[in-house]
Amino acid sequence: MNRREFLASSATVAAAPMLLGMTHKASEDNPVIGEKAWKYECHHNWGKLPGELVWQTTHGTAIDSQGLIYITHQGAGKKQLDTVIAFDDKGKYVRSFGKEWHGGGHGIDIRKEGNTEFLYLCDVKHNIVTKTTLKGELVWAKGRPQEPGVYKDPAVKYSPTNVAFAPDGGFYIGDGYGSHYIHQYDKNAKWIRTWGGAGTAPGKMQTPHGLWLDDRPGRKPSLVVADRANFRLQYFTLDGKHLGFVDDVLFPAHFDIRGDVLLVPDLHARVSLFDKQNKPIVHLGDDATRIRADKKFTIRSDPKQWQPGKFVHPHDACFDRDGNIYVVEWVQTGRVTLLRKLA
């Protein structure tokens, strides 16, 4: 996101149906947040990096079938750093790769295709989406699509932020930092259709930052989009027809699903869980009032102002097989938090 977008969004804080505080004191190292069946022990600064690597702004996270946690960050300096870093579930470094994406590492998701898992990465510096093996070997890279005709003028920006997977093996790309379109591709990475564009009307978007196939039990499969700068989730059929909105969000960034639960990391300082009717279950680590009041971004660049059990800018999050949640934040030094499920 950019500074102007953040400041414009800070004028209004949505009323939260459940603002859940910590059940332990804020001074404790690993406070417990949540309530009832949704309690989590909060482990900030999770994952130990080897000496040659240092976190810069963390952006995306995904987990493979073996339980390895992959995290992207955006290098900001001249020294090229690996963009993707993988850990085991104990937080031990396993491997890293992707110096060629330095400065652009954004959304990351993993899908099993046949017997092999592949990693899809969005690079917002070089404005490409790449498909690689889990060790970083390139399968293909896609730049701005020419087929829809919406990018004929070179001045029209294309900057993909996240990918969602279709049930038939295809996928969707959200042009979140570019011109606010969704692009649909088949299983052979061939373009099918494009829809959206900038606006507030149904079917239009302002920063379609994250997107996901919502195929929770009892729901007809559909595409949910984090229509971030419009402060809403927007639902579409799998072929791009508008279905409806969910408004109980502040500045939604991306998604994950486990069972009936939709996970929404919200850049305005909380991680939200929704039931299959999209009613809020809990907002975890909520610090929206304080963070939105920080007009000069002093908090995101000053860890001394971070509070145990509270989030600053959750940018992505995902469940593991046991229901724990990994959260990565858009903060200057990078931060990964493990929410270890207790109940």
Side-chain angles (χ1 to χ4, degrees), residues 246-268:
V246 176
D247 296 319
D248 291 316
V249 291
L250 300 177
F251 215 51
H254 200 33
F255 307 97
D256 196 12
I257 284 174
R258 184 173 187 267
D260 289 339
V261 178
L262 179 69
L263 168 65
V264 183
D266 197 306
L267 201 70
H268 284 173

Side-chain angles (χ1 to χ4, degrees), residues 284-305:
L284 299 166
D286 192 300
D287 202 12
T289 300
R290 188 173 73 105
I291 297 305
R292 284 190 164 202
D294 180 29
K295 306 296 186 183
K296 295 185 177 180
F297 286 94
T298 60
I299 295 175
R300 79 173 290 261
S301 59
D302 182 7
K304 292 180 181 179
Q305 297 189 59

Side-chain angles (χ1 to χ4, degrees), residues 18 20 23 33-40 281-282 341-343:
M18 298 172 65
L20 302 182
T23 58
I33 60 177
E35 68 172 26
K36 298 181 180 177
W38 307 99
K39 286 185 178 180
Y40 299 85
I281 300 170
V282 61
K341 196 170 191 310
L342 298 181

Side-chain angles (χ1 to χ4, degrees), residues 93-308:
Y93 169 87
V94 175
R95 62 175 172 266
S96 60
F97 53 86
K99 285 184 174 64
E100 62 269 38
W101 308 313
H102 175 84
H106 198 269
I108 184 175
D109 283 295
I110 294 170
R111 176 168 63 176
K112 191 170 186 178
E113 300 174 13
N115 295 319
T116 306
E117 289 181 280
F118 294 97
L119 185 153
Y120 288 70
L121 170 76
C122 291
D123 177 342
V124 297
K125 177 180 179 181
H126 305 97
N127 302 320
I128 58 172
V129 176
T130 62
K131 178 180 179 179
T132 74
T133 68
L134 296 187
K135 293 185 177 180
E137 293 99 351
L138 185 67
V139 178
W140 50 248
K142 299 188 76 65
R144 61 169 60 207
Q146 297 303 316
E147 297 91 340
V150 297
Y151 302 105
K152 289 181 178 179
D153 184 344
V156 176
K157 188 176 180 182
Y158 174 68
S159 188
T161 48
N162 274 293
V163 169
F165 300 127
D168 62 1
F171 58 95
Y172 305 86
I173 296 173
D175 183 12
Y177 291 164
S179 300
H180 317 286
Y181 290 102
I182 303 294
H183 304 291
Q184 183 178 2
Y185 295 83
D186 69 14
K187 63 182 181 180
N188 298 311
K190 302 297 184 183
W191 177 84
I192 298 174
R193 63 175 58 88
T194 290
W195 72 88
T200 60
K204 297 293 185 180
M205 291 161 279
Q206 295 285 356
T207 316
H209 187 271
L211 57 169
W212 203 263
L213 174 69
D214 189 346
D215 58 353
R216 285 175 286 172
R219 296 180 61 95
K220 186 176 181 179
S222 55
L223 187 72
V224 58
V225 176
D227 189 4
R228 196 172 71 178
N230 280 331
F231 322 114
R232 66 194 183 191
L233 310 183
Q234 187 165 181
Y235 272 84
F236 296 93
T237 64
L238 298 184
D239 58 357
K241 296 180 177 61
H242 170 79
L243 291 172
F245 300 113
V246 176
D247 296 319
D248 291 316
V249 291
L250 300 177
F251 215 51
H254 200 33
F255 307 97
D256 196 12
I257 284 174
R258 184 173 187 267
D260 289 339
V261 178
L262 179 69
L263 168 65
V264 183
D266 197 306
L267 201 70
H268 284 173
R270 68 190 193 187
V271 172
S272 300
L273 303 180
F274 292 81
D275 66 20
K276 68 179 180 180
Q277 282 79 42
N278 283 331
K279 300 300 181 183
I281 300 170
V282 61
H283 298 307
L284 299 166
D286 192 300
D287 202 12
T289 300
R290 188 173 73 105
I291 297 305
R292 284 190 164 202
D294 180 29
K295 306 296 186 183
K296 295 185 177 180
F297 286 94
T298 60
I299 295 175
R300 79 173 290 261
S301 59
D302 182 7
K304 292 180 181 179
Q305 297 189 59
W306 303 353
Q307 298 181 359

